[in-house]
Amino acid sequence: MGGRLKKGLLLLLYGLGCGLMLCLFTIIKGMANLVFSLLAVVIAIHYFKNFASIRSRVAFVALAIVSFLLFVFIYAVITAMRSGVPGAA
């Protein structure tokens, strides 16, 4: 049971990390966004090197996309609340 828990936690860690790097890539302008895109690629390569099953790879990609969308939504809500857009509060 400990092996499955470790795999699940690593999947969560890598998926959230990749989603966060992709979110920062879309938010940050300029040359700095290249660093975040490279970090996302490095995270994905490292995960794919350690976990070879198709099921875990699909779960990683799905979690990265869902966490990316979640982080972008959170950023949009915070930005809307700070800018005082009517109906945001």
Side-chain angles (χ1 to χ4, degrees):
M1 188 66 161
R4 289 178 57 188
L5 181 62
K6 182 181 175 183
K7 277 183 158 182
L9 288 176
L10 284 174
L11 170 66
L12 186 65
L13 180 68
Y14 280 107
L16 289 175
C18 190
L20 180 63
M21 293 304 118
L22 290 172
C23 178
L24 291 173
F25 170 74
T26 59
I27 294 170
I28 307 277
K29 302 296 181 213
M31 294 299 288
N33 68 356
L34 295 176
V35 173
F36 296 115
S37 66
L38 287 176
L39 281 173
V41 169
V42 167
I43 290 170
I45 288 172
H46 194 267
Y47 185 82
F48 281 14
K49 186 170 49 169
N50 290 337
F51 298 96
S53 72
I54 298 295
R55 185 177 180 177
S56 64
R57 290 179 176 189
V58 168
F60 167 76
V61 170
L63 184 61
I65 291 171
V66 168
S67 63
F68 163 71
L69 293 173
L70 179 70
F71 288 133
V72 167
F73 177 75
I74 291 170
Y75 175 75
V77 168
I78 291 171
T79 304
M81 289 177 67
R82 282 187 178 173
S83 65
V85 175

